[in-house]
Amino acid sequence: MTLSLGKVYLVGAGLNAATLTQRGLALIQAADVILYDALLDAALLATARADCEAIAVGKRGGGVSTPQSEINQLLVNYCRVGKRVVRLKGGDPGVFGRSLPEITALQAAGCAWEWVPGVSTALAAPLLAGIPLTDQIYSSGFAVMTAHDLDRLPWPALAQLETLVFLMGGRNLGGILARLRGAGVPPARAIAIIQAAGSPTQRVWRGTTADILEQVAGVSLSPCVIVVGDVVELQQTNGGPLAGQRILVTRAADQASLFRDLLVNLGAQVVEMPALEIQPPRSWAALDEAIAHLDQVHWLLLTSANGVDGFFQRLKHQGLDSRALGGCQIAVVGRKTAQTLARYHLQPDFIPPDYIADAMIEHFPEAIAHKTLLFPRVETGGRDVLVKAFREQGATVWEVPAYESGCPATLAPAARAALEQGEIDVITFASSKTVVNAHHLLQTIPHWQTLLAPIKIASIGPQTSQACLDCFGRVDIEAKSYTLEGLGEAIATAIL
């Protein structure tokens, strides 16, 4: 037996990033290698180091799965070369987590390992659907079981219990109901099916053991959790000014999470529809040339978080850091842009009172005739009002591309499904370009205008509202404060 220098952590991922434990997060962030199962929240992997090797190993019922022997060997091989390995499993690794074959292989190879508990799907899914599993009157306990092999379950005993939770039962729902009825469960017993719990596409069906099958006819339920018992009648909706509202967020593919979290905190259910893909410009030559002559720049103008990141990433590429800006001042538009700038340990010298480029022109703190202004910006599609106005005032403006924003090739499946099923109340736009791109993507849905008709269109500000009018002929909600927080507040005010 060879003594291993590494260690394997069998980490319970919970149901989504919000239910991940602090220890689980720390291990993911420190991991050299992550072997992860299907159905995990993509946000979990986003917290890993850039050089971490992430390997999908399947294990999804009904689909292609990596053989268990292959997973075992991968864990052993990585551990033996001294890697910190996270074996990331949904829920809790000790609750239907199929951990024992992996532990046995690690022990046989002399590898160090550790179980890291997680929040079981059996516990998290019902609560995220507003269903408590116990109650002083209705339920003094519950049983959790997998529905893979119905013949192994003690149905007469289960029929005597107040609350039952079935995992992995979507394909066997008919069999579960038949066996419950055969064991004496009355047809009026309440039942709930929670599909994709904790995700933006979570759906909940409520009914009885007599009528639930008809409600979900033709629906592919996996992944789902099934709850049977009177506690289903106690379902409560999360509170907040946006409780019960289903909101479609159109943002850059990697930038939706902050606004999503804001809306969720207000009680909304959020579906993300990436409408922008941030990419490098076609050439860095103009920005590189500007960076080479920073000593001639009086003001650096930053009007977006993407512009900040593009500029400073290229500054780093040139072997420089924020000290290269010692001779110039920085003006930014918007709180989000300022927050992004703060990640580079800098504070702006000027932020206009309104978070739009027009306000920067009106309130600029000094005369700029004969001054040189550097403006890193989107390569195509941006407004020219700021550049034109400052040049008319006698400034020299170096307008250089720091990033490009394109339209995704396809509409996100979750967004398409939510729209087609009439499950969206509000669609939000935080820039003119997301409006144009969303309009293009929506046209891939038959009768999209009919689907959009009952949905409120919410805009972050005047320019975005104009784009909504141009593309959709209307805008129903406009933020008074041109920030994501302002947009959330405007939606809540309109709904109330």
Side-chain angles (χ1 to χ4, degrees):
M1 182 177 69
T2 303
L3 184 64
S4 168
L5 298 177
K7 186 171 182 178
V8 175
Y9 299 88
L10 292 92
V11 176
L15 196 55
N16 53 24
T19 56
L20 179 68
T21 65
Q22 290 187 350
R23 177 150 173 76
L25 175 61
L27 289 170
I28 290 172
Q29 292 173 334
D32 300 309
V33 181
I34 299 175
L35 275 68
Y36 63 95
D37 281 349
L39 303 179
L40 292 183
D41 185 349
L44 295 167
L45 297 178
T47 63
R49 302 196 321 255
D51 62 342
C52 175
E53 185 176 358
I55 305 169
V57 291
K59 309 307 286 182
R60 177 170 183 172
V64 178
S65 296
T66 305
Q68 186 62 60
S69 59
E70 185 176 329
I71 297 174
N72 297 347
Q73 196 59 53
L74 285 170
L75 293 173
V76 169
N77 291 347
Y78 280 114
C79 187
R80 279 178 166 170
V81 295
K83 300 291 187 180
R84 287 170 293 184
V85 184
V86 166
R87 176 67 175 98
L88 197 58
K89 296 173 174 286
D92 182 277
V95 180
F96 305 120
R98 293 182 276 197
S99 298
L100 289 179
E102 296 166 8
I103 292 170
T104 300
L106 292 168
Q107 289 175 329
C111 294
W113 65 274
E114 180 181 334
W115 252 331
V116 181
V119 179
S120 172
T121 303
L123 303 178
L127 205 57
L128 288 174
I131 300 171
L133 291 181
T134 62
D135 178 75
Q136 284 183 320
I137 298 174
Y138 293 101
S139 178
S140 58
F142 58 92
V144 180
M145 60 227 79
T146 173
H148 275 319
D149 187 351
L150 300 183
D151 292 334
R152 294 183 59 185
L153 299 179
W155 294 101
L158 295 178
Q160 303 303 311
L161 300 179
E162 295 165 314
T163 305
L164 304 175
V165 181
F166 294 92
L167 304 182
M168 298 166 278
R171 291 183 297 158
N172 283 334
L173 177 60
I176 293 171
L177 295 172
R179 284 166 171 78
L180 287 174
R181 288 193 296 268
V185 172
R189 180 67 56 82
I191 183 172
I193 300 175
I194 308 156
Q195 181 190 54
S199 78
T201 57
Q202 173 178 302
R203 295 184 69 186
V204 181
W205 291 269
R206 274 181 51 185
T208 66
T209 56
D211 65 19
I212 194 68
L213 201 58
E214 182 179 350
Q215 288 191 44
V216 298
V219 178
S220 177
L221 294 175
S222 179
C224 74
V225 174
I226 301 168
V227 181
V228 181
D230 291 340
V231 291
V232 170
E233 303 290 352
L234 302 177
Q235 184 183 31
Q236 302 291 319
T237 302
N238 288 339
L242 293 180
Q245 293 296 304
R246 298 159 300 183
I247 299 180
L248 186 66
V249 173
T250 61
R251 293 279 284 163
D254 59 347
Q255 294 179 336
S257 60
L258 291 176
F259 190 40
R260 177 196 63 201
D261 292 346
L262 185 153
L263 294 173
V264 169
N265 287 337
L266 293 173
Q269 180 180 337
V270 176
V271 178
E272 294 179 0
M273 175 180 160
L276 282 179
E277 287 184 345
I278 305 304
Q279 306 159 350
R282 285 173 294 180
S283 171
W284 291 109
L287 182 52
D288 288 346
E289 179 69 14
I291 289 173
H293 295 89
L294 278 176
D295 59 334
Q296 301 176 29
V297 175
H298 298 94
W299 282 91
L300 174 64
L301 309 180
L302 299 168
T303 60
S304 72
N306 293 318
V308 175
D309 286 333
F311 173 79
F312 281 96
Q313 288 168 13
R314 203 60 190 174
L315 193 70
K316 181 179 179 181
H317 181 81
Q318 302 296 335
L320 302 172
D321 57 27
S322 58
R323 289 172 294 184
L325 293 167
C328 75
Q329 299 185 85
I330 302 174
V332 306
V333 172
R335 187 184 307 156
K336 178 66 165 58
T337 309
Q339 291 171 346
T340 305
L341 181 66
R343 296 208 308 262
Y344 298 94
H345 310 292
L346 290 171
Q347 297 295 322
D349 298 285
F350 169 62
I351 303 179
D354 295 319
Y355 301 142
I356 53 175
D358 308 63
M360 179 178 283
I361 300 166
E362 182 180 353
H363 297 280
F364 208 78
E366 66 176 11
I368 56 173
H370 311 300
K371 298 288 180 68
T372 297
L373 315 180
L374 173 58
F375 183 21
R377 61 175 301 178
V378 65
E379 184 169 13
T380 61
R383 297 175 64 222
D384 295 326
V385 59
L386 191 148
V387 174
K388 181 180 179 181
F390 282 155
R391 284 176 175 166
E392 288 176 348
Q393 294 178 32
T396 298
V397 181
W398 294 351
E399 183 183 10
V400 296
Y403 68 98
E404 178 60 304
S405 59
C407 182
T410 59
L411 179 61
R416 174 185 287 272
L419 288 163
E420 290 178 335
Q421 294 165 9
E423 296 180 346
I424 298 300
D425 300 302
V426 182
I427 181 171
T428 68
F429 296 104
S431 73
S432 300
K433 205 157 190 177
T434 58
V435 177
V436 174
N437 290 351
H439 182 253
H440 172 74
L441 292 168
L442 288 172
Q443 292 180 64
T444 64
I445 304 178
H447 311 297
W448 67 271
Q449 297 99 326
T450 302
L451 295 175
L452 196 65
I455 299 174
K456 290 182 173 63
I457 296 176
S459 158
I460 200 170
Q463 300 303 321
T464 304
S465 293
Q466 185 58 54
C468 291
L469 291 170
D470 294 341
C471 290
F472 302 114
R474 63 185 172 94
V475 59
D476 304 296
I477 301 169
E478 180 180 291
K480 294 181 179 180
S481 173
Y482 311 141
T483 64
L484 293 177
E485 292 84 354
L487 181 53
E489 181 180 350
I491 295 170
T493 301
I495 298 303
L496 294 173

